[in-house]
Amino acid sequence: MQITFLGTSSGVPTRARNVSSIALNLPQRGEVWLFDCGEATQHQLLRCDVKISQIRRIFVTHLHGDHIFGLMGLLATYGMAGSPDRIDIYGPKGLDEYLRACQKYSYTHFNYPIKVHTIEPGIVYQEADFTVTCIPLKHKVPAYGYRVSETDRPGRFNLEKAKELGIPSGPLYGKLKNGEVVTLPDGRVINGRDLCGETEIGRKFVYCTDTVFCENSIELAADADVLIHESTFAHQDADMAFDRLHSTSTMAAQVALGAGAKELILTHFSPRYGPGSPIGLDDLLQAARAIFPNTRMAYDLMTHEVPRRIDSSIK
């Protein structure tokens, strides 16, 4: 699981930062999932190693323009990028109507299937390896945060030990690899966990933007390996954050701390903290680190591996 930040500015692009979009690359399955798709996202894709042809799912947090204005252009280009596959798009009510209107008035026809899913709080997408859930955040329009949870996997199966125990190969091996308890033909009972290494804990990636501080963010980010949280304003501008229902960097840090997250990455910065401003982005970072030390600040085209954890309590 590798994250690439395609845009880290809020509201409008700047010379150094594009507006919101994040790519989650899943190389073991040859897929890319996008989170938001601000204007010029497809231009950012041309500047990095993320392949537009591998995009399979797009998750939209809310319908403000800086999070969706790049969607139509990206979808139109996607059909020209080789042999197009289906794309599933998830987002709040109104997203389907928006895309249909864009198609109608731009006379655009997609030569591949697109399915728009209107999300509700809870499970958005689920399969054997991943579960994606969403929860409402606190913004001026309906907005949701997303959580991608990878399924736990049994550790490495000790084939040599299984042979030493005289366990016949075949279907029993599959059950033991899954940590199941099996009874052998000779009556012996074998616990699969005794033959497997440490369990690989599924990684947890959480994306929260746009929102002011709220308890739902803490709930969504519980025990996250990586929490990506908006940091539109500095702590000194908290009044503005409350008025516009955005977060300060200290609010993001409080979410990470309350959720027990392992790492916090700040994004969605107001252009007001650019060069020459009395308050700079480093001030936002230092304020967040005073609350949650393991905090980083995203920049455009930055990549970050979501780390694995090993549960040593499970043998």
Side-chain angles (χ1 to χ4, degrees):
M1 295 176 70
Q2 184 183 70
I3 304 163
T4 300
F5 291 84
L6 302 173
T8 57
S9 179
S10 71
V12 297
T14 69
R15 289 187 177 185
R17 297 177 184 271
N18 197 45
V19 284
S20 294
S21 185
I22 289 175
L24 179 64
N25 191 17
L26 305 172
Q28 72 273 23
R29 55 197 293 157
E31 288 188 15
V32 171
W33 296 357
L34 285 188
F35 291 82
D36 286 332
C37 190
E39 178 186 354
T41 291
Q42 64 173 314
H43 290 262
Q44 294 291 81
L45 289 168
L46 297 174
R47 301 174 60 202
C48 65
D49 294 332
V50 179
K51 296 181 179 179
I52 187 174
S53 60
Q54 292 185 338
I55 296 172
R56 294 294 179 271
R57 304 186 189 279
I58 302 174
F59 300 89
V60 175
T61 58
H62 65 295
L63 301 187
H64 273 155
D66 59 324
H67 293 255
I68 63 170
F69 280 164
L71 188 54
M72 191 63 193
L74 176 69
L75 294 174
T77 299
Y78 184 83
M80 305 176 188
S83 300
D85 205 341
R86 166 177 168 147
I87 287 187
D88 287 271
I89 306 173
Y90 307 81
K93 182 179 179 181
L95 181 59
D96 191 26
E97 291 87 342
Y98 167 75
L99 289 175
R100 289 181 185 276
C102 288
Q103 283 184 268
K104 177 181 178 180
Y105 293 110
S106 66
Y107 300 95
T108 301
H109 172 72
F110 298 134
N111 63 342
Y112 61 96
I114 291 176
K115 174 66 175 176
V116 179
H117 306 261
T118 299
I119 60 175
E120 297 287 346
I123 295 176
V124 171
Y125 172 71
Q126 189 170 37
E127 57 172 64
D129 295 330
F130 295 99
T131 299
V132 182
T133 56
C134 75
I135 196 168
L137 301 178
K138 191 174 182 180
H139 196 43
K140 289 193 172 184
V141 300
Y144 293 83
Y146 289 99
R147 177 186 179 97
V148 180
S149 300
E150 186 181 33
T151 305
D152 294 349
R153 296 192 299 186
R156 178 183 174 276
F157 182 66
N158 192 330
L159 181 61
E160 294 76 16
K161 187 175 181 180
K163 290 180 178 179
E164 290 176 3
L165 292 173
I167 301 173
S169 60
L172 288 179
Y173 275 19
K175 293 182 178 180
L176 291 169
K177 286 179 181 178
N178 289 329
E180 298 179 27
V181 177
V182 302
T183 301
L184 302 181
D186 60 11
R188 287 181 295 159
V189 176
I190 304 294
N191 188 333
R193 291 190 174 186
D194 294 334
L195 295 175
C196 294
E198 296 176 337
T199 298
E200 292 185 0
I201 303 301
R203 291 162 288 187
K204 303 170 184 67
F205 156 77
V206 176
Y207 179 58
C208 285
T209 184
D210 292 8
T211 183
V212 73
F213 177 87
C214 64
E215 293 296 328
N216 275 2
S217 297
I218 296 176
E219 178 182 338
L220 189 72
D223 196 38
D225 294 286
V226 175
L227 166 62
I228 298 173
H229 198 289
E230 73 132 288
S231 177
T232 306
F233 293 108
H235 180 69
Q236 295 91 322
D237 294 322
D239 289 344
M240 194 178 301
F242 282 114
D243 179 61
R244 301 184 184 183
L245 296 183
H246 278 291
S247 289
T248 64
S249 65
T250 50
M251 291 178 189
Q254 288 166 346
V255 171
L257 183 65
K262 301 300 179 287
E263 183 175 17
L264 170 64
I265 304 180
L266 304 176
T267 188
H268 200 269
F269 309 110
S270 170
R272 71 178 54 245
Y273 305 115
S277 170
I279 301 174
L281 289 180
D282 189 62
D283 295 313
L284 276 69
L285 177 60
Q286 296 309 317
R289 283 180 172 172
I291 297 170
F292 189 82
N294 195 18
T295 299
R296 298 182 63 186
M297 180 166 283
Y299 55 87
D300 280 24
L301 305 184
M302 167 181 149
T303 61
H304 182 75
E305 293 282 347
V306 182
R308 284 196 177 278
R309 280 185 280 171
I310 299 296
D311 186 355
S312 58
S313 67
I314 301 178
K315 302 296 183 180

